[in-house]
Amino acid sequence: MFDNYEWFKKEVYKLTQIDLNYYKEKQMRRRIDTLAHKNGADSYEAYVKLISTDKVKFKQFVNFITINVSEFYRNPDQWRFMDQKVIPEILKRNKGQIKIWSAACSTGDEPYSLAMAFSKHVPLSNIRILATDIDDQVISSAKTGLYSAKSVENVPSDLKRKYFTQVGDSYKIADEIKRCVTFKEHNLLKDVYPKDYDLILCRNVVIYFTDEAKDMIYKNFYNSLKPQGILFIGSTEQITTYRELGFERLSSFYFQKP
């Protein structure tokens, strides 16, 4: 029976250091119950035993609850705003190395998109991107830099020609773009946040979290930005408390620290 979710959350934290208390319970519990059933478990105890002893099932579970869905230049209109408004705003006050953090970066589509977007304005040597995710499996994939045709379909054609090489049915990102990005594991709900960033991107992740967790994350992002630094969020998200958190709104998806 799937009737002792409180116990299950504690066991998951022991195994993964992922605190399910910060996730919306009804939504997350429904997803986990479905996955457990698909794997033949008829109770939380049985499912914990399975993911504790089967490395493949454990990786599947972590990947499933951390929602690794991404693509290059997702929501192109927001990237046009980046190109026309956000990058020029950042460059007005920073003529040297630009510090960017792509949080919950998944398979690397977004940090590599950032590197390409900034490459139209500054030399690649000026671009330093920290890309973090809780899932070491997707970080490994991101470091490889090999993507499906679907993943790269929104990349502007000039950048696609310049920075991708077709390998069979896949596309490989250029090494010069990969060198702009450093990948590390990071848990947004428990780890210390890095500081002094010109731009932070975190998109379509916090929608799965409780309001308490969202405010904690956005407050930490605020503290991680330099003065005038900018936060870029996803099309499925809103920061209704942005004024209380200290942000000014540039658009529905971009928020600036005064």
Side-chain angles (χ1 to χ4, degrees):
M1 293 288 292
F2 294 93
D3 58 1
N4 50 351
Y5 191 63
E6 291 300 316
W7 173 86
F8 178 75
K9 288 189 292 186
K10 292 175 184 176
E11 295 303 307
V12 167
Y13 186 77
K14 291 176 189 175
L15 289 170
T16 67
Q17 295 296 294
I18 296 170
D19 190 345
L20 292 178
N21 288 307
Y22 287 117
Y23 290 77
K24 295 175 181 176
E25 181 168 325
K26 185 176 180 181
Q27 183 182 42
M28 182 56 70
R29 186 169 180 174
R30 183 173 62 247
R31 297 181 77 247
I32 290 171
D33 290 0
T34 300
L35 181 63
H37 275 299
K38 285 182 179 178
N39 283 283
D42 57 3
S43 67
Y44 287 131
E45 289 90 343
Y47 192 48
V48 166
K49 184 176 180 180
L50 177 65
I51 62 176
S52 299
T53 55
D54 187 321
K55 290 182 179 180
V56 173
K57 298 300 183 185
F58 175 80
K59 288 289 185 183
Q60 178 197 51
F61 173 69
V62 172
N63 189 59
F64 187 77
I65 64 172
T66 52
I67 330 286
N68 290 307
V69 178
S70 189
E71 62 188 38
F72 284 83
Y73 282 81
R74 187 175 185 178
N75 309 115
D77 287 347
Q78 295 168 30
W79 287 91
R80 278 190 282 274
F81 189 88
M82 165 85 74
D83 186 61
Q84 296 167 10
K85 303 291 185 181
V86 174
I87 294 176
E89 172 72 18
I90 290 171
L91 296 181
K92 276 195 306 186
R93 62 180 182 275
N94 189 340
K95 303 301 181 184
Q97 196 171 88
I98 300 153
K99 287 184 64 179
I100 304 166
W101 178 16
S102 177
C105 69
S106 187
T107 49
D109 311 49
E110 290 187 331
Y112 290 143
S113 294
L114 285 165
M116 289 188 289
F118 273 85
S119 76
K120 296 171 64 176
H121 300 264
V122 295
L124 289 174
S125 58
N126 284 25
I127 305 165
R128 285 292 172 267
I129 301 171
L130 172 66
T132 64
D133 200 275
I134 195 172
D135 187 344
D136 62 348
Q137 191 172 22
V138 297
I139 288 176
S140 178
S141 175
K143 288 178 178 178
T144 301
L146 196 64
Y147 298 93
S148 69
K150 176 76 170 67
S151 292
V152 303
E153 66 181 6
N154 288 327
V155 177
S157 56
D158 58 330
L159 296 177
K160 190 174 178 180
R161 286 192 300 269
K162 187 173 183 179
Y163 292 124
F164 285 92
T165 302
Q166 189 165 358
V167 182
D169 294 330
S170 300
Y171 289 82
K172 188 170 180 61
I173 192 79
D175 287 344
E176 58 195 297
I177 292 294
K178 290 171 73 173
R179 283 192 288 269
C180 297
V181 183
T182 300
F183 290 96
K184 291 184 179 178
E185 286 185 55
H186 184 271
N187 185 336
L188 288 170
L189 297 171
K190 68 182 285 288
D191 291 338
V192 175
Y193 282 45
K195 301 292 185 184
D196 298 320
Y197 282 86
D198 298 291
L199 173 67
I200 297 174
L201 179 151
C202 184
R203 306 179 73 212
N204 307 308
V205 174
V206 303
I207 54 169
Y208 302 102
F209 296 146
T210 63
D211 289 342
E212 176 192 9
K214 288 178 187 178
D215 281 350
M216 177 185 71
I217 289 168
Y218 287 138
K219 182 177 180 180
N220 284 332
F221 282 150
Y222 180 92
N223 292 331
S224 291
L225 288 166
K226 295 177 181 177
Q228 306 302 307
I230 294 171
L231 173 66
F232 179 15
I233 66 170
S235 60
T236 58
E237 297 161 344
Q238 294 180 334
I239 308 180
T240 57
T241 59
Y242 71 89
R243 289 189 183 91
E244 292 91 331
L245 292 167
F247 284 108
E248 296 175 353
R249 190 167 77 167
L250 300 180
S251 79
S252 297
F253 314 107
Y254 288 94
F255 296 83
Q256 188 168 36
K257 178 178 180 176

